[in-house]
Amino acid sequence: RKEVEQDPGPFNVPEGATVAFNCTYSNSASQSFFWYRQDCRKEPKLLMSVYSSGNEDGRFTAQLNRASQYISLLIRDSKLSDSATYLCVVPWANQAGTALIFGKGTTLSVSS
Amino acid sequence: NAGVTQTPKFRVLKTGQSMTLLCAQDMNHEYMYWYRQDPGMGLRLIHYSVGEGTTAKGEVPDGYNVSRLKKQNFLLGLESAAPSQTSVYFCAARDSNYGYTFGSGTRLTVV
């Protein structure tokens, strides 16, 4: 299994829809996980951190399933402004220090 | 507070030329990183640093060198540019809670 895998999409949904993205990871020792958002030709920005079983922030919910080694991101009541690429991020198992490994991203397009 | 600043923002190089990308942070973070992003490949880690004077290889280090002589600066060097190094390069600095702050990127084209 690759370190981080995501469904690339694209996910095309209407405004108001609920959409969920999944991400699987291979490093069973990972303790913390992240979802980043990246708009076209911009730098990634932190959306949510996931340290335990899950985390909720307004319309966004991130869940972690350690046994199955996957993370999910749920977006409720989608807005046009949610259109972006969502990157799943996990710690990279390495010896010299700690870095983050990014999934290839899932593209979301919300239409009116 | 600028956060993370990358220079230059755009550059076109000829094959075989060399150049240095500069990343500067004003947040006093220990960890700094260089990633490249290519279509369909996502962000891939090139090199990183866990503190002043230290560097380490990431996923795709070949063809690049780095230096962290000062805590606030992390330099990425291309000694002999190749077309395969055409990419968008992002620098990031990390805070104590793991979150990355990214620079706005450098778009490099090697012809």
Side-chain angles (χ1 to χ4, degrees):
Chain A
R1 174 192 282 182
K2 293 182 180 178
E3 297 232 28
V4 188
E5 291 197 75
Q6 292 183 250
D7 181 345
F11 284 67
N12 299 303
V13 302
E15 278 186 289
T18 296
V19 61
F21 310 136
N22 289 326
C23 167
T24 58
Y25 61 93
S26 60
N27 180 12
S28 60
S30 297
Q31 295 297 311
S32 52
F33 308 86
F34 306 88
W35 284 100
Y36 276 72
R37 170 194 169 125
Q38 186 174 28
D39 294 292
C40 186
R41 301 180 68 82
K42 300 286 188 179
E43 71 272 23
K45 293 185 177 179
L46 180 64
L47 178 65
M48 296 185 74
S49 304
V50 188
Y51 294 109
S52 57
S53 61
N55 190 17
E56 184 172 328
D57 183 6
R59 297 183 294 109
F60 298 84
T61 300
Q63 291 188 319
L64 169 62
N65 184 318
R66 291 187 187 276
S68 300
Q69 293 182 217
Y70 80 80
I71 315 153
S72 64
L73 177 68
L74 181 75
I75 305 176
R76 292 179 296 275
D77 189 22
S78 298
K79 311 292 185 188
L80 293 175
S81 57
D82 293 334
S83 297
T85 297
Y86 291 84
L87 306 172
C88 175
V89 186
V90 304
W92 184 44
N94 57 339
Q95 298 178 354
T98 302
L100 300 182
I101 297 297
F102 287 74
K104 295 181 181 181
T106 299
T107 300
L108 172 66
S109 177
V110 182
S111 57
S112 58
Chain B
N1 187 341
V4 177
T5 303
Q6 291 184 233
T7 53
K9 295 189 183 303
F10 303 92
R11 185 72 185 268
V12 178
L13 283 180
K14 293 183 179 179
T15 297
Q17 286 185 317
S18 63
M19 77 162 295
T20 300
L21 282 67
L22 171 64
C23 177
Q25 55 118 347
D26 61 4
M27 301 174 290
N28 202 36
H29 290 338
E30 289 293 336
Y31 286 28
M32 297 186 75
Y33 307 83
W34 276 107
Y35 287 84
R36 62 177 287 174
Q37 187 172 34
D38 303 292
M41 298 297 293
L43 282 102
R44 293 181 291 169
L45 181 65
I46 304 171
H47 286 280
Y48 64 103
S49 169
V50 301
E52 181 178 315
T54 72
T55 62
K57 294 180 179 180
E59 300 172 274
V60 289
D62 295 341
Y64 304 95
N65 57 75
V66 287
S67 63
R68 184 98 180 268
L69 298 179
K70 294 182 178 180
K71 185 177 183 178
Q72 64 267 33
N73 295 334
F74 194 29
L75 279 63
L76 178 70
L78 286 73
E79 291 186 349
S80 180
S84 62
Q85 293 178 304
T86 293
S87 187
V88 180
Y89 292 85
F90 286 104
C91 175
R94 187 193 118 187
D95 70 12
S96 58
N97 293 319
Y98 244 112
Y100 278 16
T101 299
F102 280 90
S104 58
T106 295
R107 285 166 175 75
L108 175 65
T109 301
V110 183
V111 297

